[in-house]
Amino acid sequence: MKIIIDRARKEWAYSLFVVLFMFRINFLTLNSIIFGKGMVYQGLKYAMYFGILILFLISFGEKFRIIHKDVLILYSIVGLMTLATCIVDKSTIEVIKGENLINGIFISGLSGFLLYRCVENYDLLYNVFKKVGYLVISYATVIVLTTQIGTAYMGFSYAILVFILLELYDGLFEKNMFSLAFGIIGTVVNILGGTRGSILCIATFLLIFLLFSKRYKIVLFVSILGFTFFLCYDKILALFTELASTLGVESRIIDALSGLNMNSIAYTNGRTSITDVSLELIKSNPLGYGFLGERAQLNDAIYWFTTNGYAHNIFLELILQFGVIIGTVIIIFMIYKIIRFLIYYDYREKNMALAIVFLCYCVNLFVSRSYTTTFEFWAFWGILNGLRRRE
């Protein structure tokens, strides 16, 4: 008997596949906080991958029968750049092996561009994203209330961040109070168990809402609320501290805002050293070290890096890789494309909504992570390239 799945179901399966494929590593991060690496963790891991495989098989024939030319060009260029750097600098090969960058870049990273170029129904994808977000934020809330996150705070923070931003978007721009409630809960959970980079992303989103929503009463209300926050900062911080203590949560962010020990908000966690070394490397070779070639240089220059050295700033990373001239051109081009997108941005279109969410998420690339392996970074450019093709 032949099983027939109509196109609408295939589109639904593909939307769920896109969301779960992006979330798969973060799902394992959340589970490892609760279950460690034991049998339960392994069972959930294989269940996740099996579900993703089934969704992929359902939607494969419909979505991947044609690969867009720009996707092939992107993969080819990145592949050739990687190969060229490995030929010129053999130490890059060891970095790629040590960090598993073939998987990190070509599967986890660039797949964002591939998958979002294949999306046709952004309304459906948006709704699937929103519903999965309810589950993710609920799960994350349980983790914060029942488990000490410890050293996993960074993975936890970024695991739930994109869903928090989407729920806030749906709540503020689309006036969905249910989504707004989840967005607010997610924001509190992220503050309790997150990083300074994630708070920066959320603040950027709120700024975009103030600039583009045209809901002037809310803008005025938020402005007054923000002003009140700064006036009552100490009291609000004390309230959050008391809340965390009552819940038994050890919050790195609250410690940072309180200025406790090495968790002070001004503590750069080694980023000053990384920036200084990056600038010295640029001075030593203004022509650049090639795609991924800067990692071996940073590993040699910073003693506490092993094979995981990257600039922790997307602009420095691009200039280190492509040199001062070409790197600056790439940066200017990116800024131009983002400004152009914001000029024509329409919050009612779901593809633009997702692009805004991913753009805000990528603000953390100025202080953390690498653009080369960030799914959301490439997804943003996939959506923008799709918009250009439609035009």
Side-chain angles (χ1 to χ4, degrees):
M1 183 179 70
K2 185 176 181 181
I3 298 175
I4 299 176
I5 302 175
D6 62 31
R7 185 170 184 178
R9 287 188 175 87
K10 288 180 180 179
E11 190 69 36
W12 182 90
Y14 181 71
S15 296
L16 188 56
F17 167 74
V18 170
V19 175
L20 294 183
F21 183 85
M22 179 202 72
F23 184 58
R24 70 196 189 285
I25 303 300
N26 294 332
F27 177 74
L28 297 178
T29 299
L30 293 178
N31 288 332
S32 66
I33 293 172
I34 295 181
F35 305 112
K37 300 291 184 178
M39 292 293 292
V40 175
Y41 170 84
Q42 295 298 331
L44 291 170
K45 172 183 175 181
Y46 290 121
M48 163 67 82
Y49 283 123
F50 180 74
I52 289 174
L53 176 62
I54 295 299
L55 293 169
F56 174 76
L57 293 175
I58 291 173
S59 56
F60 174 80
E62 181 72 27
K63 290 299 177 182
F64 298 104
R65 65 183 186 276
I66 298 175
I67 302 297
H68 294 285
K69 187 188 298 183
D70 52 347
V71 174
L72 295 174
I73 291 172
L74 176 63
Y75 269 85
S76 299
I77 290 174
V78 173
L80 289 172
M81 289 191 305
T82 304
L83 180 61
T85 305
C86 289
I87 292 172
V88 174
D89 184 3
K90 303 296 183 184
S91 60
T92 301
I93 299 175
E94 296 304 316
V95 173
I96 291 174
K97 289 180 180 177
E99 286 293 296
N100 194 19
L101 289 177
I102 296 300
N103 175 73
I105 293 171
F106 290 94
I107 297 177
S108 296
L110 296 183
S111 60
F113 191 92
L114 165 64
L115 296 179
Y116 275 84
R117 280 292 285 116
C118 294
V119 174
E120 293 179 7
N121 190 338
Y122 275 96
D123 289 346
L124 176 60
L125 177 61
Y126 181 92
N127 286 323
V128 169
F129 223 125
K130 182 171 62 175
K131 288 178 172 61
V132 173
Y134 297 151
L135 298 175
V136 171
I137 292 172
S138 298
Y139 193 31
T141 303
V142 172
I143 291 175
V144 165
L145 294 177
T146 61
T147 310
Q148 292 300 334
I149 296 171
T151 57
Y153 61 85
M154 185 173 293
F156 174 85
S157 175
Y158 292 133
I160 63 176
L161 177 58
V162 71
F163 294 98
I164 293 171
L165 293 172
L166 187 108
E167 301 302 345
L168 288 174
Y169 189 101
D170 197 59
L172 292 173
F173 281 101
E174 302 293 340
K175 304 179 183 179
N176 185 330
M177 293 299 103
F178 189 71
S179 294
L180 182 59
F182 269 87
I184 293 171
I185 291 170
T187 300
V188 173
V189 167
N190 202 281
I191 291 173
L192 290 174
T195 66
R196 289 167 288 184
S198 62
I199 292 179
L200 184 63
C201 296
I202 294 171
T204 301
F205 169 78
L206 294 176
L207 178 61
I208 285 179
F209 172 73
L210 293 178
L211 292 174
F212 294 101
S213 68
K214 297 180 181 179
R215 295 167 66 185
Y216 301 110
K217 291 181 180 178
I218 294 181
V219 171
L220 178 62
F221 172 74
V222 172
S223 300
I224 294 172
L225 198 65
F227 182 71
T228 305
F229 172 81
F230 285 109
L231 286 179
C232 306
Y233 175 79
D234 292 334
K235 292 182 179 179
I236 294 173
L237 181 59
L239 181 63
F240 257 99
T241 304
E242 185 178 350
L243 174 63
S245 177
T246 302
L247 296 174
V249 176
E250 294 180 7
S251 173
R252 176 178 177 267
I253 291 299
I254 290 178
D255 287 348
L257 294 172
S258 303
L260 299 177
N261 303 320
M262 292 178 69
N263 286 325
S264 168
I265 199 71
Y267 179 62
T268 61
N269 198 24
R271 284 175 176 80
T272 301
S273 299
I274 298 171
T275 300
D276 291 341
V277 169
S278 297
L279 293 173
E280 288 300 321
L281 288 173
I282 291 171
K283 290 178 184 178
S284 300
N285 184 7
L287 296 178
Y289 296 90
F291 184 71
L292 304 178
E294 85 288 356
R295 290 178 176 243
Q297 303 294 328
L298 287 168
N299 290 336
D300 291 339
I302 300 177
Y303 73 92
W304 37 270
F305 275 163
T306 52
T307 61
N308 58 344
Y310 59 93
H312 286 70
N313 180 291
I314 184 173
F315 287 171
L316 285 177
E317 191 172 8
L318 287 168
I319 292 174
L320 279 167
Q321 291 178 354
F322 301 106
V324 174
I325 296 175
I326 297 177
T328 302
V329 170
I330 293 173
I331 291 168
I332 292 172
F333 174 76
M334 288 170 54
I335 293 173
Y336 162 74
K337 293 288 287 185
I338 291 171
I339 291 174
R340 187 173 184 272
F341 162 70
L342 292 175
I343 288 173
Y344 293 102
Y345 163 66
D346 184 349
Y347 72 85
R348 293 165 294 187
E349 295 186 20
K350 296 301 184 284
N351 52 356
M352 291 192 171
L354 287 168
I356 283 290
V357 167
F358 291 143
L359 178 61
C360 292
Y361 180 94
C362 288
V363 170
N364 73 76
L365 293 177
F366 287 103
V367 295
S368 182
R369 309 189 74 184
S370 169
Y371 80 92
T372 60
T373 57
T374 300
F375 179 96
E376 292 81 3
F377 173 83
W378 295 108
F380 171 75
W381 293 107
I383 294 172
L384 255 62
N385 221 43
L387 289 172
R388 184 175 68 85
R389 298 291 178 181
R390 292 186 182 94
E391 288 174 2

